[in-house]
Amino acid sequence: MAAGKRRSRGHIEELPSGSFRAIVFAGVDPLTGRSRQLKETARTHKEAEKALTKLQRQVDENKQPKSSITVGQAVAQWLEVADLQPTTQERYDDLIRLYVLPTFGHLQAGKLDAELLERFYARLQRCRTLCTGRPRAGHECRPLSASTTRKVHYILRAALDRAVRWRHLGVNPAAIAQAPAPSKAEPDPPSADEAAAILNEAWRDPEWGLLLWLTMLIGPRRGEISALRWHDVDLDRATVWVQRSNTQSKAGVVEKSTKTDRKRRVALDPHTVELLRTQRDLWVSRLSALGVEFESDGFVFSPSPDGRTPYAPRAISQRYRRLAVRLKLRSTRLHSLRHYSATELVAAGVDIRTVAGRLGHGSGGATTLRVYAAWVEEADRRAAATIATVLPQPKPAVRRAGPYELLAAALRQQIQDGSLPPGALLPTMAELAVANSCAVGTAHRAVSEGV
């Protein structure tokens, strides 16, 4: 039986331009079922022979790409194994649908290069619809932000990295391409006076005012303040644990770890401790009226009567934005609130001593207000006493003797112990200066003032 014809491992063909192309068979594409070929063009036949040998070695060592995978297929395979948070997953799905698939979805990933990607990023930053730049009726160019364009770059780079690892692609062109530079953040937080105006307005709803008060003092993200539960608040030790965060996806509010995946403990000042204690007492009273027992895993800030439902993070931001617009603030974003101290806010005019009255019940509010005002005064005195004991006390300054005083003391000692008996001549000023390694003027002053 005659042996079957063996497929040639590769060959060299001459092009009409006079160049030569090395072609090597690299197996069958598992995605399309078609034969795959590795190609490389050279100027001379000898260079083409070297290229042919190199391509054959890649096939032998299994280093060649295994498929002519498209960008869309690479992104879909990456999404199958990527570990993303729900909100991140939704955001990436939108970016892939709007920008990646319409532009590169059917393009072979091997045909991507750094130039093509960088031009794509530049066009996105001119107009998110990738228009030609020519004016047309009804269209206004809206650039895509640098941060969003960088997310598109991250998606492409991560997907093509996975394709390289899985041998569907030889080189990741997105790893070579340069992403747009991140825009520099220019935070413009409210001043202490503006923060006081925000709080005085927010105290009309005591729970909302307390939420913003905590945001200003301990600086949690909106998801962290949304996820805060009563067992995270230790009023006896005046601390609060920030250990979880809520995120808002299309499926609803989902609890997760903090953005940094780290827990942190924050100390509270006496003002805040008492506000939280009063708020907790109010929750206990509310639940008791409903016939429900207060439990520590309830949310500190909740729109539901039983405290089991947290405020949605997006709702917190939107409510703050409406407040900031009403007060005509420069920044209307919640995360612009920086850390303030309670002393700084009170000094700026926060009407904190009326909070307990607003949190009280009916006629008891005035009594609560007087008790709270007395407590604040006593707390201030205790805090001052504590600071006085904690801060290091200044030590009395010890004056060091000058060189002439040291020399004068040494001469007096010599007179007292008889080394310089009465009537004896003192050494000359020059001799004293040399013997004591000092200036002649120092020796003269020691003799004239100290002896």
Side-chain angles (χ1 to χ4, degrees):
M1 182 176 177
K5 186 176 181 181
R6 186 177 180 183
R7 181 189 293 270
S8 172
R9 293 194 62 199
H11 63 279
I12 298 174
E13 64 180 12
E14 185 174 0
L15 301 177
S17 63
S19 301
F20 296 87
R21 178 188 291 159
I23 303 175
V24 173
F25 173 70
V28 178
D29 190 328
L31 296 177
T32 64
R34 298 177 182 176
S35 297
R36 295 205 63 252
Q37 293 179 336
L38 302 183
K39 300 179 181 180
E40 186 171 332
T41 304
R43 290 179 296 179
T44 65
H45 192 277
K46 187 173 182 180
E47 291 177 353
E49 289 177 344
K50 294 180 180 179
L52 181 67
T53 303
K54 181 184 71 175
L55 295 177
Q56 288 173 342
R57 186 169 61 250
Q58 287 182 2
V59 174
D60 293 339
E61 296 176 356
N62 198 28
K63 291 184 177 180
Q64 84 286 358
K66 294 181 179 179
S67 65
S68 300
I69 193 171
T70 64
V71 174
Q73 291 169 334
V75 170
Q77 291 182 1
W78 171 68
L79 286 175
E80 290 178 3
V81 297
D83 183 16
L84 303 174
Q85 295 290 344
T87 50
T88 305
Q89 175 82 52
E90 291 175 1
R91 180 58 174 153
Y92 283 2
D93 287 342
D94 289 340
L95 294 177
I96 292 168
R97 174 178 54 85
L98 293 174
Y99 305 113
V100 176
L101 294 184
T103 308
F104 301 120
H106 298 291
L107 180 69
Q108 287 190 0
K111 293 184 178 180
L112 273 179
D113 57 26
E115 177 189 357
L116 182 60
L117 289 173
E118 289 179 10
R119 288 170 56 200
F120 171 61
Y121 301 151
R123 289 189 63 185
L124 282 177
Q125 291 193 284
R126 286 195 296 270
C127 180
R128 63 184 65 195
T129 62
L130 298 175
C131 70
T132 60
R134 297 177 182 177
R136 64 176 190 265
H139 172 73
E140 181 180 353
C141 288
R142 294 175 57 217
L144 200 65
S145 67
S147 62
T148 305
T149 307
R150 288 175 65 85
K151 287 185 178 70
V152 174
H153 171 74
Y154 172 78
I155 292 169
L156 288 169
R157 178 166 182 169
L160 298 182
D161 259 342
R162 185 80 62 175
V164 170
R165 245 186 338 269
W166 289 353
R167 298 291 182 84
H168 294 304
L169 193 63
V171 178
N172 181 1
I176 307 172
Q178 185 174 1
S183 54
K184 294 182 179 179
E186 295 182 358
D188 189 14
S191 65
D193 292 337
E194 289 174 331
I198 292 171
L199 289 171
N200 286 334
E201 180 69 18
W203 283 130
R204 297 177 185 273
D205 178 352
E207 189 174 23
W208 173 238
L210 181 57
L211 186 150
L212 291 185
W213 173 269
L214 275 181
T215 301
M216 291 182 183
L217 259 63
I218 66 177
R221 295 178 172 88
R222 62 179 186 176
E224 295 170 346
I225 199 72
S226 168
L228 190 65
R229 298 176 185 263
W230 281 112
H231 58 64
D232 298 323
V233 180
D234 190 338
L235 297 178
D236 295 329
R237 297 184 179 181
T239 58
V240 60
W241 266 104
V242 179
Q243 49 188 343
R244 289 174 307 280
S245 178
N246 283 337
T247 182
Q248 189 172 358
S249 65
K250 295 177 181 177
V253 177
V254 180
E255 190 173 88
K256 65 180 187 67
S257 61
T258 62
K259 187 172 184 178
T260 59
D261 290 324
R262 292 183 179 180
K263 303 176 183 180
R264 62 186 187 276
R265 190 193 296 270
V266 185
L268 300 175
D269 62 277
H271 300 291
T272 306
V273 170
E274 186 61 20
L275 289 175
L276 285 168
R277 180 175 284 113
T278 308
Q279 175 73 359
R280 187 186 62 182
D281 293 343
L282 181 58
W283 271 110
V284 172
S285 176
R286 287 176 182 172
L287 294 175
S288 178
L290 295 173
V292 180
E293 185 178 353
F294 175 81
E295 295 182 6
S296 61
D297 62 344
F299 291 98
V300 176
F301 304 106
S302 171
S304 62
D306 59 357
R308 293 292 179 180
T309 305
Y311 280 105
R314 208 171 295 161
I316 295 175
S317 294
Q318 291 170 350
R319 185 173 181 180
Y320 175 76
R321 184 179 184 279
R322 291 195 296 269
L323 175 62
V325 169
R326 189 163 66 250
L327 296 177
K328 299 180 180 180
L329 300 181
R330 299 185 306 275
S331 176
T332 60
R333 307 186 72 176
L334 182 67
H335 70 255
S336 69
L337 295 181
R338 65 181 178 86
H339 290 266
Y340 299 87
S341 68
T343 303
E344 183 180 10
L345 292 173
V346 171
V350 175
D351 195 12
I352 189 175
R353 286 172 172 78
T354 66
V355 177
R358 288 171 181 163
L359 287 175
H361 302 281
S363 60
T367 303
T368 308
L369 172 58
R370 288 194 296 271
V371 172
Y372 180 59
W375 177 90
V376 169
E377 184 178 356
E378 176 62 24
D380 288 342
R381 286 197 295 268
R382 290 200 307 267
T386 302
I387 292 174
T389 58
V390 172
L391 292 178
Q393 299 299 316
K395 297 180 180 180
V398 179
R399 181 178 177 276
R400 299 181 63 182
Y404 80 92
E405 292 173 314
L406 296 176
L407 178 55
L411 291 175
R412 283 196 297 271
Q413 183 63 32
Q414 292 178 19
I415 294 173
Q416 292 172 1
D417 62 18
S419 299
L420 287 175
L425 295 177
L426 290 174
T428 64
M429 298 301 105
E431 291 173 342
L432 282 175
V434 172
N436 293 275
S437 301
C438 63
V440 174
T442 300
H444 189 274
R445 185 176 181 184
V447 171
S448 60
E449 297 186 13
V451 180

